[in-house]
């Protein structure tokens, strides 16, 4: 969520202009270092998730731990699938930038919720 949010605000001129329209001609505060930091965090997270997949059940988990793990994985998959479906829907709309701006705002809220849960 964080990388997508920063990358879209940094590289997409339509998103930046829609943001300026909604915020009294103020430019977004996203800079290149924000995008690089978020990209780095995304890559490290992918490595961590790969390690989790490799060492899925070591040491063996009890029933409650397995249930909790499935709940967390299912929730993350649900958020990911909903984000992809919404992005595909928005890509088909003729008025793209204001809708994408709202989509990015929702992603930033998801990012905050995930950070609070962690």
């Amino acid at each position: 969520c964080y990388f997508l949010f920063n990358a879209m605000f940094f590289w997409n001129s339509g998103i930046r202009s829609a943001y300026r329209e909604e915020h009294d001609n103020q430019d977004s505060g996203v800079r290149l270092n924000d995008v690089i930091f978020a990209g780095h965090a995304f890559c490290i997270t992918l490595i961590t998730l790969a390690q989790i997949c490799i060492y899925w059940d070591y040491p063996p988990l009890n029933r409650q731990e397995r249930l909790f793990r499935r709940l967390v994985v299912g929730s993350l998959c649900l958020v990911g699938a909903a984000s992809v479906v919404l992005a595909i829907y928005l890509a088909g709309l003729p008025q793209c930038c204001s809708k994408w701006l709202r989509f990015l705002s929702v992603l930033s809220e998801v990012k905050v919720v995930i950070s609070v849960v962690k």
Side-chain angles (χ1 to χ4, degrees):
C1 293
Y2 188 49
F3 177 67
L4 181 62
F5 179 85
N6 285 334
M8 291 293 282
F9 268 98
F10 187 74
W11 282 305
N12 192 310
S13 60
I15 298 289
R16 286 194 311 264
S17 64
Y19 181 86
R20 278 193 293 275
E21 284 177 20
E22 289 190 14
H23 293 91
D24 298 324
N25 249 1
Q26 298 286 329
D27 200 15
S28 158
V30 176
R31 303 290 177 253
L32 181 60
N33 64 323
D34 299 320
V35 177
I36 291 171
F37 174 77
H40 174 263
F42 179 71
C43 290
I44 296 300
T45 301
L46 288 179
I47 291 170
T48 302
L49 290 174
Q51 290 174 340
I52 289 170
C53 289
I54 292 169
Y55 302 109
W56 173 254
D57 198 19
Y58 182 81
L61 301 174
N62 64 32
R63 183 171 180 248
Q64 293 167 335
E65 291 169 335
R66 278 194 310 270
L67 179 64
F68 180 71
R69 181 178 284 176
R70 288 182 182 138
L71 177 70
V72 169
V73 169
S75 299
L76 291 175
C77 289
L78 184 64
V79 167
S83 297
V84 168
V85 168
L86 186 57
I88 290 170
Y89 171 74
L90 289 175
L93 293 177
Q95 183 188 17
C96 69
C97 294
S98 64
K99 302 292 183 188
W100 277 104
L101 187 61
R102 181 67 188 138
F103 176 69
L104 292 174
S105 296
V106 169
L107 278 184
S108 70
E109 292 167 11
V110 168
K111 171 188 67 168
V112 169
V113 168
I114 289 173
S115 295
V116 168
V117 169
K118 286 195 299 189

